[in-house]
C-alpha cells in the first residue's frame, strides 16, 4: 500500500537466464531449508502483466548482470501508480 504518488520497488530473478533457471530447479533439492521461501523466477513480460493488473506502471528498470549472453540475472523495477 502506497500513496498515489508513492513508488514500489520489486526485484526478481530472471526466468530467461539459464543460471537463475537452474538455481531454482535444483536449489531446493540441495538445500531443503529454502523450500519454504519463494524462489520462483519470472520473465520481465510476466512482471509487466502483474504490475499492470495491480494498477502500476514501470518507471525504471535496473539489472544485475553476469557475463552470460547479456541476459540479466536479476531485475530491479521501480513502479508507480497509473494516473487516472
Amino acid at each position: 500500500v502506497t500513496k498515489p504518488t508513492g513508488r514500489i520497488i520489486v526485484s526478481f530473478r530472471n526466468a530467461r537466464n539459464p543460471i537463475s533457471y537452474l538455481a531454482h530447479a535444483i536449489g531446493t533439492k540441495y538445500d531443503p531449508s529454502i523450500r519454504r521461501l519463494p524462489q520462483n523466477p519470472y520473465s520481465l513480460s510476466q512482471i509487466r502483466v502483474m504490475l499492470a493488473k495491480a494498477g502500476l506502471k514501470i518507471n525504471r528498470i535496473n539489472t544485475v548482470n553476469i557475463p552470460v549472453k547479456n541476459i540479466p540475472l536479476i531485475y530491479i523495477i521501480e513502479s508507480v501508480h497509473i494516473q487516472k
Side-chain angles (χ1 to χ4, degrees):
V1 177
T2 66
K3 295 179 182 179
T5 58
R7 297 180 186 139
I8 297 174
I9 307 297
V10 178
S11 70
F12 61 96
R13 301 216 181 260
N14 182 9
R16 298 188 191 275
N17 184 296
I19 293 174
S20 289
Y21 179 81
L22 288 174
H24 172 68
I26 64 174
T28 56
K29 291 179 175 66
Y30 290 102
D31 187 354
S33 68
I34 64 171
R35 285 187 183 148
R36 295 170 299 193
L37 301 174
Q39 298 288 318
N40 299 338
Y42 295 96
S43 68
L44 183 56
S45 59
Q46 289 174 305
I47 294 295
R48 284 183 193 275
V49 170
M50 288 183 219
L51 291 174
K53 286 182 179 179
L56 301 166
K57 69 174 184 172
I58 294 175
N59 194 38
R60 185 181 334 174
I61 299 174
N62 291 323
T63 59
V64 175
N65 296 307
I66 56 171
V68 177
K69 296 184 180 181
N70 294 325
I71 303 171
L73 179 64
I74 297 172
Y75 284 102
I76 304 166
I77 294 176
E78 175 187 88
S79 56
V80 295
H81 292 275
I82 297 172
Q83 299 296 320
K84 294 181 180 182

